[in-house]
Short mmCIF file of all heavy atoms in Angstrom, two decimals:
data_model
loop_
_atom_site.label_atom_id
_atom_site.label_comp_id
_atom_site.label_asym_id
_atom_site.label_seq_id
_atom_site.Cartn_x
_atom_site.Cartn_y
_atom_site.Cartn_z
N ARG Y 119 20.79 13.01 94.34
CA ARG Y 119 20.08 12.08 93.45
C ARG Y 119 19.03 12.71 92.55
O ARG Y 119 18.41 12.03 91.73
CB ARG Y 119 19.39 11.01 94.29
CG ARG Y 119 20.33 9.91 94.64
CD ARG Y 119 19.94 9.25 95.95
NE ARG Y 119 21.16 8.96 96.69
CZ ARG Y 119 21.86 7.86 96.50
NH1 ARG Y 119 21.48 6.94 95.65
NH2 ARG Y 119 22.98 7.69 97.17
N ARG Y 136 5.69 4.26 120.83
CA ARG Y 136 5.44 2.86 121.19
C ARG Y 136 4.52 2.81 122.41
O ARG Y 136 4.36 3.80 123.12
CB ARG Y 136 6.74 2.16 121.54
CG ARG Y 136 7.79 2.17 120.45
CD ARG Y 136 9.06 1.53 121.00
NE ARG Y 136 10.09 1.37 119.99
CZ ARG Y 136 11.02 2.28 119.72
NH1 ARG Y 136 11.00 3.46 120.35
NH2 ARG Y 136 11.95 2.06 118.82
N SER Y 137 3.97 1.64 122.66
CA SER Y 137 3.08 1.52 123.82
C SER Y 137 3.80 1.83 125.12
O SER Y 137 3.19 2.17 126.11
CB SER Y 137 2.46 0.12 123.88
OG SER Y 137 2.95 -0.71 122.88
N GLY Y 230 33.34 9.07 96.58
CA GLY Y 230 32.02 9.61 96.24
C GLY Y 230 32.02 11.10 95.96
O GLY Y 230 30.98 11.67 95.67
N LYS Y 312 60.33 4.95 103.27
CA LYS Y 312 60.31 3.51 103.01
C LYS Y 312 58.99 2.85 103.38
O LYS Y 312 58.58 1.89 102.74
CB LYS Y 312 61.42 2.83 103.81
CG LYS Y 312 62.81 3.37 103.53
CD LYS Y 312 63.49 2.59 102.45
CE LYS Y 312 64.95 2.98 102.34
NZ LYS Y 312 65.58 2.31 101.20
P C H 5 14.13 6.07 92.58
OP1 C H 5 14.08 7.53 92.33
OP2 C H 5 13.82 5.11 91.49
"O5'" C H 5 15.57 5.70 93.14
"C5'" C H 5 16.17 6.51 94.15
"C4'" C H 5 17.51 5.94 94.52
"O4'" C H 5 17.33 4.60 95.07
"C3'" C H 5 18.47 5.70 93.36
"O3'" C H 5 19.13 6.88 92.98
"C2'" C H 5 19.42 4.68 93.97
"O2'" C H 5 20.30 5.28 94.91
"C1'" C H 5 18.45 3.79 94.73
N1 C H 5 17.99 2.65 93.93
C2 C H 5 18.85 1.55 93.80
O2 C H 5 19.97 1.59 94.34
N3 C H 5 18.45 0.47 93.09
C4 C H 5 17.24 0.48 92.51
N4 C H 5 16.88 -0.62 91.81
C5 C H 5 16.36 1.59 92.61
C6 C H 5 16.77 2.65 93.33
P C H 13 33.62 6.91 93.73
OP1 C H 13 32.76 7.41 94.79
OP2 C H 13 33.07 6.05 92.66
"O5'" C H 13 34.38 8.16 93.07
"C5'" C H 13 33.88 8.82 91.94
"C4'" C H 13 34.93 9.81 91.52
"O4'" C H 13 36.17 9.11 91.23
"C3'" C H 13 34.62 10.55 90.23
"O3'" C H 13 33.77 11.65 90.47
"C2'" C H 13 36.00 10.98 89.81
"O2'" C H 13 36.51 12.03 90.60
"C1'" C H 13 36.80 9.72 90.12
N1 C H 13 36.74 8.77 88.98
C2 C H 13 37.46 9.09 87.83
O2 C H 13 38.15 10.11 87.83
N3 C H 13 37.39 8.27 86.76
C4 C H 13 36.64 7.17 86.81
N4 C H 13 36.60 6.39 85.73
C5 C H 13 35.88 6.83 87.97
C6 C H 13 35.96 7.65 89.03
P C H 37 64.81 -4.83 95.63
OP1 C H 37 64.09 -5.89 94.88
OP2 C H 37 65.43 -3.70 94.91
"O5'" C H 37 63.82 -4.24 96.73
"C5'" C H 37 63.12 -5.10 97.62
"C4'" C H 37 62.41 -4.26 98.66
"O4'" C H 37 63.40 -3.58 99.49
"C3'" C H 37 61.59 -3.12 98.08
"O3'" C H 37 60.32 -3.59 97.68
"C2'" C H 37 61.51 -2.17 99.27
"O2'" C H 37 60.56 -2.60 100.22
"C1'" C H 37 62.90 -2.31 99.88
N1 C H 37 63.83 -1.27 99.40
C2 C H 37 63.89 -0.07 100.11
O2 C H 37 63.16 0.08 101.09
N3 C H 37 64.75 0.90 99.70
C4 C H 37 65.53 0.70 98.63
N4 C H 37 66.35 1.68 98.26
C5 C H 37 65.48 -0.52 97.88
C6 C H 37 64.63 -1.47 98.29
P C H 74 5.72 -1.90 113.59
OP1 C H 74 6.03 -3.31 113.47
OP2 C H 74 4.33 -1.47 113.39
"O5'" C H 74 6.21 -1.41 115.00
"C5'" C H 74 6.56 -0.07 115.18
"C4'" C H 74 7.13 0.01 116.59
"O4'" C H 74 6.06 0.26 117.50
"C3'" C H 74 7.81 -1.31 116.96
"O3'" C H 74 9.12 -1.03 117.34
"C2'" C H 74 6.86 -1.94 118.05
"O2'" C H 74 7.52 -2.43 119.16
"C1'" C H 74 6.00 -0.73 118.50
N1 C H 74 4.62 -1.06 118.76
C2 C H 74 4.15 -0.86 120.06
O2 C H 74 4.92 -0.43 120.91
N3 C H 74 2.86 -1.15 120.36
C4 C H 74 2.06 -1.62 119.42
N4 C H 74 0.80 -1.87 119.76
C5 C H 74 2.52 -1.83 118.09
C6 C H 74 3.79 -1.55 117.80
P C H 75 10.29 -1.34 117.98
OP1 C H 75 10.34 -2.51 118.84
OP2 C H 75 10.47 0.01 118.53
"O5'" C H 75 11.34 -1.55 116.82
"C5'" C H 75 12.02 -0.43 116.28
"C4'" C H 75 13.49 -0.67 116.41
"O4'" C H 75 13.89 -1.58 115.37
"C3'" C H 75 14.35 0.55 116.21
"O3'" C H 75 14.44 1.29 117.40
"C2'" C H 75 15.67 -0.08 115.79
"O2'" C H 75 16.35 -0.59 116.92
"C1'" C H 75 15.19 -1.24 114.92
N1 C H 75 15.11 -0.90 113.48
C2 C H 75 16.29 -1.04 112.71
O2 C H 75 17.31 -1.44 113.26
N3 C H 75 16.24 -0.74 111.38
C4 C H 75 15.11 -0.29 110.84
N4 C H 75 15.11 -0.02 109.54
C5 C H 75 13.91 -0.13 111.61
C6 C H 75 13.95 -0.44 112.92
#
Side-chain angles (χ1 to χ4, degrees):
Chain Y
R119 277 151 220 275
R136 302 176 175 90
S137 4
K312 303 267 189 186

